[in-house]
Amino acid sequence: MDRPFGLLAELTHACPLHCPYCSNPLGLAHVRTELTTREWRRVLTEATELGVLQLHLSGGEPLLRRDLVEIVRGADALGLYTNLITSAVGLSPRRAEQLRAAGLDHVQISIQADEPGLSDRIAGTPSFGRKTAAARLVKELGWPLTLNVVLHRHNIDRVDRVLALAEELAADRIELANTQYYGWAWHNRAGLLPSRAQLERAEPVVRAARERLKGRMEVIYVIPDYHSRYPKPCMGGWGRQQLTVVPGGDVLPCPPAHALPLPRASVREHSLAWIWEHSPLFRRFRGTDWMPEPCRSCERRELDFGGCRCQAFQLTGDAARTDPVCHLSPDHGIVAAAVRAADEVTAPRDDVLVPRPHPGRSG
């Protein structure tokens, strides 16, 4: 594939939640530096010219952008399939009707747990009731509904009840995605990483639900990188399939790549086509020529592309190293030690989690 098919548009870093696993950068963009409506319209036009078909509107909380309806309307006019990725806090019936009329195609709502007490504690604010009400509203308006649940030590033992909630809400799809340890989640890793015993309990529950719900609800389950034998490919390979545009206009091959010591690329300075094809950022880890051993001679090199560059940098200080998740990596002991520590903890502890701060509302 020589063209991207998906664009993740992070419209703002502002968010009403304080999730301890937030993967947004530690230094969040201020609302005054966010791309304007006109700039986003230009970016979306350039994206369609580049071949993008799917637009995922995210943040932070995209509903905090007052021009969200206008952005959706412009994307619809360009023929983009639009997906709103939201906490659903602020998805009022009036706003939902406006987005429906503007052409929004799909809604994905984050759910922290299956019951109010735990959900609100994880989110750092009372939100469970508003989320479930918004999910019902989404179905009433005829949208497909995806629920996204970030799994970790504090909620993975309740995955059966999370799935029951998804059934009750008539979700079309549920993503059970274990925490990725970037951003604020990295600081809370010791309190979030589940034990092997927790995974062994959760996985048969998910398998049974996937079989039982076949044809009614798609169940996606992503195990934690740290517990895998091989790493997952970075977004299908660095700079191969998708782009991310962050609130201030920087373009990234994947959302956490802002942390890497690489030249930046911004839509305020270059076109999306130039960034995709020629920028040092996108060319740096594209393909396989950059790979060290053991990746260079590994038969899986075009399956997982050496794993996650951001994770390699996070754990070793060198983005070109083999992802330490891989059991063949010379640095695998770093991950193995983290897993052993998680296995030694017998119960979740709320007091070790630090909630994520966030900037103010978008203008």
Side-chain angles (χ1 to χ4, degrees):
M1 180 174 292
D2 60 0
R3 287 291 183 269
F5 68 84
L7 172 65
L8 175 65
E10 295 184 351
L11 301 181
T12 181
H13 281 150
C15 182
L17 306 187
H18 306 259
C19 301
Y21 50 74
C22 181
S23 61
N24 277 335
L26 299 182
L28 300 181
H30 194 278
V31 294
R32 288 194 296 269
T33 68
E34 292 174 2
L35 295 178
T36 64
T37 311
R38 178 177 295 181
E39 287 174 316
W40 274 116
R41 282 202 299 261
R42 174 176 62 79
V43 168
L44 298 186
T45 299
E46 292 180 2
T48 57
E49 292 169 351
L50 189 56
V52 168
L53 301 173
Q54 300 175 2
L55 174 65
H56 305 280
L57 299 160
S58 180
E61 176 48 67
L63 287 168
L64 292 178
R65 286 281 301 220
R66 296 177 182 174
D67 58 355
L68 178 60
V69 171
E70 187 174 348
I71 291 171
V72 170
R73 187 179 296 115
D76 182 64
L78 291 167
L80 290 165
Y81 182 89
T82 49
N83 173 34
L84 179 66
I85 303 173
T86 177
S87 69
V89 175
L91 187 62
S92 65
R94 179 173 178 273
R95 196 81 183 282
E97 291 281 6
Q98 291 173 335
L99 289 167
R100 193 80 176 95
L104 183 68
D105 294 299
H106 184 277
V107 179
Q108 177 175 317
I109 295 177
S110 66
I111 298 288
Q112 279 66 38
D114 62 287
E115 57 89 18
L118 180 58
S119 180
D120 293 349
R121 197 155 62 244
I122 294 170
T125 188
S127 56
F128 180 82
R130 285 179 284 177
K131 287 172 176 288
T132 53
R136 292 186 174 95
L137 175 62
V138 165
K139 295 299 294 185
E140 288 171 10
L141 291 176
W143 273 310
L145 171 65
T146 292
L147 298 181
N148 177 264
V149 185
V150 177
L151 296 178
H152 44 79
R153 175 176 288 274
H154 297 257
N155 63 6
I156 194 168
D157 289 323
R158 303 177 65 91
V159 71
D160 56 338
R161 283 164 280 190
V162 169
L163 286 161
L165 175 64
E167 283 190 80
E168 179 189 332
L169 295 173
D172 300 280
R173 186 169 183 265
I174 183 168
E175 295 180 358
L176 300 166
N178 275 275
T179 303
Q180 301 291 303
Y181 295 101
Y182 311 113
W184 210 247
W186 169 254
H187 289 268
N188 283 315
R189 187 183 69 175
L192 292 170
L193 186 64
S195 67
R196 289 192 187 278
Q198 287 183 296
L199 290 179
E200 289 169 359
R201 291 193 294 268
E203 287 174 5
V205 173
V206 175
R207 283 197 300 270
R210 184 181 286 140
E211 184 64 28
R212 180 172 56 82
L213 296 169
K214 188 180 297 182
R216 288 195 289 137
M217 182 169 69
E218 184 181 8
V219 179
I220 307 296
Y221 180 68
V222 182
I223 69 171
D225 284 3
Y226 282 41
H227 291 272
S228 300
R229 184 171 173 81
Y230 296 104
K232 292 189 289 291
C234 171
M235 304 292 290
W238 181 272
R240 290 184 71 243
Q241 297 179 349
Q242 302 197 50
L243 301 136
T244 295
V245 180
V246 302
D250 281 1
V251 187
L252 303 170
C254 63
H258 57 81
L260 300 183
L262 294 173
R264 61 188 292 273
S266 172
V267 295
R268 285 175 165 155
E269 299 169 5
H270 298 284
S271 70
L272 271 186
W274 183 90
I275 292 169
W276 176 261
E277 295 169 5
H278 303 295
S279 70
L281 172 63
F282 273 74
R283 293 171 65 89
R284 175 62 180 89
F285 297 114
R286 184 174 274 155
T288 59
D289 290 345
W290 62 271
M291 289 182 175
E293 294 292 353
C295 297
R296 181 178 291 274
S297 57
C298 181
E299 63 182 12
R300 293 179 56 87
R301 64 184 176 277
E302 294 190 12
L303 294 176
D304 56 37
F305 298 96
C308 177
R309 298 302 86 222
C310 302
Q311 190 156 259
F313 179 72
Q314 183 91 71
L315 294 172
T316 73
D318 182 356
R321 299 279 287 182
T322 300
D323 186 339
V325 160
C326 182
H327 76 286
L328 300 173
S329 166
D331 304 304
H332 182 64
I334 299 171
V335 170
V339 171
R340 284 195 301 272
D343 288 343
E344 292 169 0
V345 179
T346 57
R349 288 181 52 201
D350 290 336
D351 60 334
V352 300
L353 296 181
V354 181
R356 183 67 164 93
H358 59 80
R361 291 177 62 92
S362 173

